[in-house]
């Protein structure tokens, strides 16, 4: 299976709540540059945080790829979610794209790659990581690369 993990694009600095922050024009451009890296990839599902900036990021990716599936919105991909609990949710061998936030994305990538939470990966806005392995389990996936827009 392949697993792509995309951090949302740059978002506005203020909104009524953190969850309501929208992407900026620059953030949209960043997302489109990262989405270009996914053209031709066998993505079977897109799973995103419910936060507005992650939803907007996922929607831009869908449009750029012509992805016809629905974006699955889940509460376990928010910024402060527990990476161990995220792994419990990833029980399939499908090729997935996760759209989420720091610090979760960096911690999740470190956990998948190293098997522990002590070495999170630095992820800029709209950074895209590609991991590969038989199952999405701690320490059992290889990091193929990270693209920073």
């Amino acid at each position: 299976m392949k697993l792509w993990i995309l951090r949302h694009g740059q978002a506005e600095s203020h909104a009524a709540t953190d969850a309501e922050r929208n992407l900026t024009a620059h953030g949209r451009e960043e997302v489109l540059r990262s989405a270009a890296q996914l053209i031709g990839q066998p993505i079977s599902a897109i799973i995103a945080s419910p936060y507005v900036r992650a939803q907007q990021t996922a929607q831009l990716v869908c449009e750029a790829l012509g992805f016809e599936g629905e974006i699955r919105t889940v509460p376990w991909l928010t910024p402060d979610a527990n990476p161990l609990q995220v792994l419990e949710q990833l029980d399939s061998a499908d090729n997935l794209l996760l759209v989420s936030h720091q610090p979760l994305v960096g911690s999740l990538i470190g956990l998948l790659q190293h098997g522990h939470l002590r070495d999170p990966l630095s992820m800029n806005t709209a950074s895209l990581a590609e991991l590969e392995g038989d199952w999405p389990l701690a320490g059992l996936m290889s990091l193929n690369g990270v693209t920073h827009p």
Side-chain angles (χ1 to χ4, degrees), residues 98-116:
L98 304 181
V99 181
S100 190
H101 317 263
Q102 277 290 60
L104 176 63
V105 293
S107 296
L108 180 59
I109 294 165
L111 177 62
L112 287 163
Q113 186 180 14
H114 305 295
H116 55 74

Side-chain angles (χ1 to χ4, degrees), residues 1-118:
M1 89 166 281
K2 284 193 175 183
L3 177 66
W4 293 271
I5 299 176
L6 176 63
R7 182 178 175 198
H8 64 80
Q10 180 189 69
E12 55 193 16
S13 57
H14 298 290
T17 67
D18 183 42
E20 297 176 65
R21 292 171 47 216
N22 287 294
L23 291 179
T24 63
H26 176 72
R28 291 178 181 279
E29 292 170 10
E30 288 179 318
V31 170
L32 292 174
R33 285 195 300 273
S34 290
Q37 304 299 313
L38 295 168
I39 293 172
Q41 295 295 339
I43 297 170
S44 58
I46 297 176
I47 305 172
S49 158
Y51 286 25
V52 170
R53 60 192 180 274
Q55 290 289 306
Q56 291 171 332
T57 296
Q59 187 59 48
L60 284 169
V61 170
C62 282
E63 292 168 9
L65 300 180
F67 183 80
E68 295 182 9
E70 290 185 26
I71 298 167
R72 197 167 117 214
T73 302
V74 297
W76 42 266
L77 282 178
T78 55
D80 295 318
N82 183 331
L84 295 167
Q85 291 176 338
V86 171
L87 284 189
E88 290 175 8
Q89 302 296 325
L90 300 178
D91 58 359
S92 74
D94 291 334
N95 294 316
L96 304 174
L97 169 64
L98 304 181
V99 181
S100 190
H101 317 263
Q102 277 290 60
L104 176 63
V105 293
S107 296
L108 180 59
I109 294 165
L111 177 62
L112 287 163
Q113 186 180 14
H114 305 295
H116 55 74
L117 296 170
R118 296 183 304 269

